[in-house]
Amino acid sequence: NMDKLMDTLQAKSKRVAVTIPILKLIKKNLSKSTFDKVRKNLIWTTSTLAFTGGFRVHELLARERQSFDPLVTLLGRDVVLNDKNKHPHIQILLKTQKKDRIGKNEVVDVFKTDNFFCPIKAFKKYKKSVSTLTFSSQKPSFRTADGKSYTGKMFNEDLKKLLESVIDYRSMGKISSHSFRIGITTMLGKLGFSDNDIMAIGRWSSSAFEL
């Protein structure tokens, strides 16, 4: 059991934090990929939101492809774009926070960044590309071209397809959805932000972020 535990801990330690250079790499490889337009916009929107908002993947994406629970899945009505005021931002309703699970919802504001990974610009582009699906308030906010949910598992698989040719997952470590969350934490730490600031942005209630 101890050997298995050590293997698990070592595997977790090999997760690579997403940095701004890696975001550039994702964007570059997306432009060259054979993914359809909607899928490209899905991957990029998820990437920018996960990084700038410090989200866990299932706070944004559904767990299942063909079914969803409206009580825990982010729906179209749960993503509100406010781009007409002085500080454009997206309001995202969290339904499945790890720290308190279901029952206590919280709204997270993600602001315009005026750079290549701006989540506002990415989300608007995605929303425009799915006009044929009709961005529905009653259905999962992030869906593929066939109208089915885009899941966290699919996002991780897409990331690997985009990056495995330039990043050796076996020796360097893997990049997954959680890499964006630890990426913003790492960046803020290097910039000198306080522990309280980092905990607030990542919505941590303990010192777990230090890991």
Side-chain angles (χ1 to χ4, degrees):
N1 286 338
M2 183 60 70
D3 288 342
K4 288 181 179 179
L5 176 61
M6 291 308 297
D7 288 342
T8 300
L9 291 174
Q10 288 171 5
K12 285 187 175 181
S13 68
K14 291 181 180 178
R15 185 187 286 123
V16 178
V18 165
T19 58
I20 290 176
I22 291 179
L23 280 174
K24 288 181 178 179
L25 190 58
I26 293 171
K27 189 172 179 65
K28 178 182 178 181
N29 286 0
L30 262 177
S31 66
K32 298 186 296 183
S33 74
T34 57
F35 289 122
D36 63 66
K37 184 178 180 181
V38 172
R39 190 63 159 258
K40 287 181 178 181
N41 289 332
L42 267 173
I43 296 169
W44 187 238
T45 301
T46 303
S47 297
T48 58
L49 284 173
F51 182 77
T52 56
F55 290 103
R56 302 175 181 91
V57 69
H58 291 120
E59 291 173 339
L60 298 173
L61 305 180
R63 292 181 181 273
E64 303 293 334
R65 185 88 168 101
Q66 301 191 58
S67 62
F68 66 94
D69 182 347
L71 294 178
V72 298
T73 303
L74 189 74
L75 307 181
R77 67 188 179 209
D78 303 321
V79 184
V80 180
L81 175 63
N82 294 302
D83 62 346
K84 304 300 182 184
N85 53 26
K86 186 177 179 180
H87 301 290
H89 63 284
I90 299 173
Q91 290 184 319
I92 294 181
L93 178 65
L94 299 190
K95 295 180 171 182
T96 58
Q97 287 198 87
K98 187 175 180 181
K99 64 183 180 183
D100 46 25
R101 301 299 178 184
I102 303 169
K104 293 183 180 179
N105 294 335
E106 180 180 348
V107 173
V108 175
D109 294 326
V110 182
F111 290 87
K112 182 179 178 182
T113 60
D114 288 322
N115 53 30
F116 80 93
F117 58 86
C118 178
I120 304 290
K121 184 178 179 180
F123 177 72
K124 290 171 74 172
K125 192 172 181 180
Y126 159 69
K127 195 172 179 181
K128 184 177 180 181
S129 72
V130 295
S131 57
T132 54
L133 296 178
T134 308
F135 188 81
S136 173
S137 63
Q138 305 296 323
K139 295 181 179 180
S141 53
F142 297 108
R143 293 184 287 153
T144 53
D146 58 6
K148 297 178 183 178
S149 297
Y150 185 55
T151 66
K153 180 181 178 181
M154 293 170 71
F155 180 55
N156 284 329
E157 291 171 348
D158 289 345
L159 286 174
K160 188 173 183 180
K161 288 178 184 177
L162 288 170
L163 299 173
E164 64 181 348
S165 63
V166 290
I167 295 176
D168 189 337
Y169 273 52
R170 288 177 296 182
S171 62
M172 295 177 62
K174 68 178 182 179
I175 291 180
S176 68
S177 58
H178 204 68
S179 297
F180 295 88
R181 183 166 167 79
I182 63 176
I184 192 67
T185 307
T186 302
M187 187 178 76
L188 292 173
K190 288 182 176 180
L191 290 172
F193 281 76
S194 71
D195 287 356
N196 286 338
D197 288 335
I198 296 173
M199 289 175 68
I201 289 175
R203 302 173 299 284
W204 280 281
S205 57
S206 70
S207 59
F209 75 94
E210 294 176 353
L211 298 176

